[in-house]
Amino acid sequence: MDELMYRSTRGRSEAVSSAKAIVEGIAPDGGLYVPDHIPAPFASLEEMLHLSYKELAYAVMKPFLPDFTQEELQDCLQYAYNDRFDTPEQVVLNEQGPVSFLELFHGPTLAFKDMALSVLPRLMTTAAAKTGIRQEIVILTATSGDTGKAAMEGFANVPGVRILVFYPKDGVSPMQKRQMVTQRGDNTFVIAVDGNFDDAQRSVKEIFTDPAEKERMLEAGYVFSSANSINIGRLLPQIVYYFRGYTEAVNHGRIRLGDPVTFSVPTGNFGDILAGHYAKRMGLPIDRLLCASNRNNVLTDFFHTGRYDSNREFYVTSSPSMDILVSSNLERLIYEITGENGARVEQYMKSLKDTGAYTLAEGVGALQNEFGAFYADEKETQETISYFFRKYGYVIDPHTAVAASCALREDLNPHSHTIIVSTASPYKFPKTILESLGATPPIDAWDQVQVLSIISGTPVPTPVSELNGLPVRHTAVCSVDGAREAVHETLGV
Ligand SMILES: *Cc1c(COP(=O)(O)O)cnc(C)c1O
């Protein structure tokens, strides 16, 4: 039997098992690991209608993880999707007028990152044991706001792992920052970078792919890995909820089994939407995937022109987890467009690194059937928050609002029900929500949360209320070029 293996998008590293791809996080040649083919799920769509979320996750993920035993994967899922989610089936499909919202923010950190980052720690420690790794694993992660917290929550106090999180000092919301600097766990370390997310992500990637650095770490008894969506172990759990959104739409009677749907996805690093693309390739009837961006609209331009150009002003917006100009996971899609030509991908990525831009020789025509691309500016985002509240009494967060705004712009055609991927709880961004609703936000973040609760008639989620009063445990700051030193200092090497 041909066992599924993982190849690097840059074609110069060996194919590896799923366990190895997860432990390494990124291929030695600097590329990203991709499966050498897209397998079919272990259940039919019809069977999926009756599965629990964990069972569904097993049916979707297991074909990608041939070297994990049934028991091992079930154990990972059992551990991940526990009672720290405030809903028994982890995700909720919430219908509002002509569209549905796939709420993915019911986990411990109130962002969709929990869907994957609650699974990844067990996947990684299981994979490390399988591949005979004896060193301590050091997770290096750059965050645009939500990944860092969700990763630390997942990895806190996991034996044999340390996690270092770099976040842009002034580029996350006050609530996101508060969540990170109060993080518990003796194996968690948080460092503010005096720069933006792209600076943080670049520094981390450079440390990762430097062979001398790897050597130095090995000597000290450490190996690096990543909890960012460059890690294939992050992407696989994200494929699952596209199937879930679909089966829920069938179970709610919004569509019939086999009907196509459209997903609108608030996009930053292109991980979430890429998982949707994989779901489609696994056979899920997806008509279109809408790539929704905020004012940092480099992807919108890319899908319209075939030119990726990050040489533009960087804006700090009300949807900070999408304030990204270099979307790492796009490399995996580019690999497909080039006909899996690693050398070609390498050229594009070199051009991106050297000049900040590249133009696809292959063109984007083939992609335009599947991907629509739009962006919403700050005003449109606020108007969309206001629209859904006034019309349906439903409060959405700014990231979700970007996707909703873009979805409403693409003619909602009756043949294809639109599901908006809802990535964060509005309680992470109370100030923006109150402003959008025309209320004057109180200065204090806790007061904002209280007012939001009263206006929306929803209870304050526990992960927010319990932040109040937690001590600040992390205060480290480094310069844009100081990440490497910060890593050495933290690990004492
Ligand atoms: C990370 C994040 C996104 C963007 O997801 P990508 O996988 O980076 O494209 C959107 N919304 C929220 C709330 C996020 O945390």
Side-chain angles (χ1 to χ4, degrees):
M1 196 180 84
D2 274 346
E3 205 160 80
L4 184 141
M5 299 283 280
Y6 288 81
R7 291 193 199 130
S8 165
T9 49
R10 305 206 185 164
R12 286 191 291 105
S13 301
E14 281 172 46
V16 297
S17 66
S18 63
K20 190 134 198 260
I22 291 169
V23 173
E24 287 186 4
I26 191 166
D29 62 5
L32 308 189
Y33 282 119
V34 285
D36 60 9
H37 65 276
I38 300 290
F42 279 178
S44 69
L45 269 186
E46 192 166 7
E47 288 163 346
M48 286 178 185
L49 296 176
H50 313 291
L51 298 182
S52 70
Y53 195 82
K54 282 190 213 103
E55 289 165 341
L56 178 65
Y58 182 83
V60 173
M61 290 170 64
K62 183 67 181 79
F64 285 103
L65 300 166
D67 46 334
F68 283 65
T69 66
Q70 174 173 357
E71 203 185 2
E72 282 168 342
L73 180 56
Q74 280 172 343
D75 176 64
C76 292
L77 296 168
Q78 191 62 37
Y79 175 81
Y81 297 133
N82 59 17
D83 59 8
R84 299 204 58 206
F85 283 76
D86 68 9
T87 145
E89 281 295 289
Q90 284 73 45
V91 308
V92 173
L93 188 74
N94 198 325
E95 292 158 50
Q96 301 293 338
V99 295
S100 300
F101 288 85
L102 182 61
E103 296 182 354
L104 304 177
F105 54 77
H106 292 280
T109 76
L110 305 177
F112 90 103
K113 304 290 198 293
D114 290 326
M115 298 310 301
L117 282 165
S118 50
V119 190
L120 186 65
R122 271 286 165 111
L123 275 183
M124 194 174 282
T125 47
T126 308
K130 282 179 161 319
T131 48
I133 288 194
R134 259 167 245 109
Q135 293 84 1
E136 187 164 351
I137 298 174
V138 177
I139 309 281
L140 286 188
T141 289
T143 184
S144 57
D146 292 325
T147 295
K149 176 63 188 179
M152 286 190 291
E153 214 32 58
F155 282 104
N157 298 322
V158 172
V161 182
R162 289 189 200 203
I163 171 160
L164 276 65
V165 167
F166 293 88
Y167 73 93
K169 190 159 150 276
D170 301 313
V172 301
S173 87
M175 201 60 79
Q176 288 175 317
K177 182 167 178 171
R178 179 99 202 148
Q179 281 186 310
M180 284 191 279
V181 297
T182 58
Q183 177 63 45
R184 75 208 158 82
D186 291 338
N187 62 339
T188 65
F189 304 89
V190 182
I191 299 153
V193 179
D194 207 354
N196 64 33
F197 172 73
D198 289 315
D199 296 323
Q201 173 153 273
R202 185 169 19 83
S203 312
V204 165
K205 251 188 160 174
E206 272 169 18
I207 302 173
F208 249 118
T209 46
D210 180 346
E213 201 62 45
K214 191 171 172 178
E215 202 49 42
R216 181 169 178 166
M217 289 299 145
L218 271 181
E219 269 167 33
Y222 297 115
V223 283
F224 285 136
S225 190
S226 170
N228 280 105
S229 50
I230 55 176
N231 193 320
I232 194 76
R234 257 289 290 284
L235 285 181
L236 301 181
Q238 296 187 180
I239 303 173
V240 179
Y241 52 71
Y242 284 91
F243 281 91
R244 187 54 167 213
Y246 188 91
T247 55
E248 283 294 280
V250 175
N251 284 334
H252 293 189
R254 284 309 286 252
I255 57 169
R256 281 166 317 179
L257 198 66
D259 287 350
V261 295
T262 290
F263 284 96
S264 183
V265 189
T267 298
N269 227 350
F270 210 75
D272 196 0
I273 193 167
L274 186 76
H277 169 70
Y278 286 160
K280 183 177 162 81
R281 290 189 60 202
M282 291 180 87
L284 187 66
I286 294 177
D287 179 20
R288 299 199 11 108
L289 289 164
L290 305 185
C291 174
S293 301
N294 66 24
R295 207 177 160 201
N296 296 295
N297 57 358
V298 57
L299 286 165
T300 318
D301 291 345
F302 169 75
F303 278 105
H304 289 129
T305 65
R307 180 166 171 78
Y308 193 96
D309 192 349
S310 67
N311 299 308
R312 58 180 76 205
E313 195 165 334
F314 178 93
Y315 300 107
V316 173
T317 73
S318 59
S319 45
S321 300
M322 298 155 69
D323 290 344
I324 293 176
L325 291 179
V326 180
S327 295
S328 298
N329 274 293
L330 191 62
E331 178 167 344
R332 290 188 161 110
L333 189 67
I334 303 291
Y335 180 68
E336 283 181 31
I337 307 174
T338 60
E340 311 198 334
N341 182 337
R344 189 50 84 65
V345 174
E346 175 122 50
Q347 276 170 12
Y348 291 143
M349 294 305 133
K350 182 167 189 318
S351 170
L352 182 63
K353 192 164 182 228
D354 297 346
T355 71
Y358 60 90
T359 305
L360 278 189
E362 294 78 5
V364 280
L367 289 178
Q368 286 171 346
N369 290 329
E370 179 179 348
F371 292 93
F374 300 91
Y375 78 96
D377 64 21
E378 291 293 278
K379 184 156 169 282
E380 288 162 330
T381 305
Q382 292 210 346
E383 280 169 3
T384 308
I385 293 171
S386 164
Y387 172 83
F388 277 96
F389 182 66
R390 273 185 293 106
K391 192 136 189 203
Y392 304 106
Y394 182 62
V395 182
I396 54 178
D397 103 288
H399 303 76
T400 308
V402 167
S405 169
C406 295
L408 296 179
R409 224 158 322 151
E410 167 132 319
D411 266 343
L412 287 175
N413 83 55
H415 307 298
S416 168
H417 181 59
T418 296
I419 299 175
I420 293 154
V421 177
S422 183
T423 49
S425 160
Y427 280 96
K428 287 189 105 164
F429 308 94
K431 182 157 180 271
T432 304
I433 310 293
L434 293 178
E435 282 166 357
S436 306
L437 302 183
T440 309
I443 298 185
D444 183 79
W446 304 109
D447 295 338
Q448 293 165 7
V449 163
Q450 298 308 327
V451 177
L452 178 56
S453 174
I454 292 164
I455 292 186
S456 66
T458 56
V460 178
T462 314
V464 169
S465 55
E466 72 187 9
L467 276 183
N468 202 357
L470 284 186
V472 172
R473 299 188 57 237
H474 305 277
T475 52
V477 182
C478 75
S479 68
V480 169
D481 303 316
R484 192 177 293 248
E485 223 169 290
V487 171
H488 294 164
E489 221 166 88
T490 308
L491 298 176
V493 300

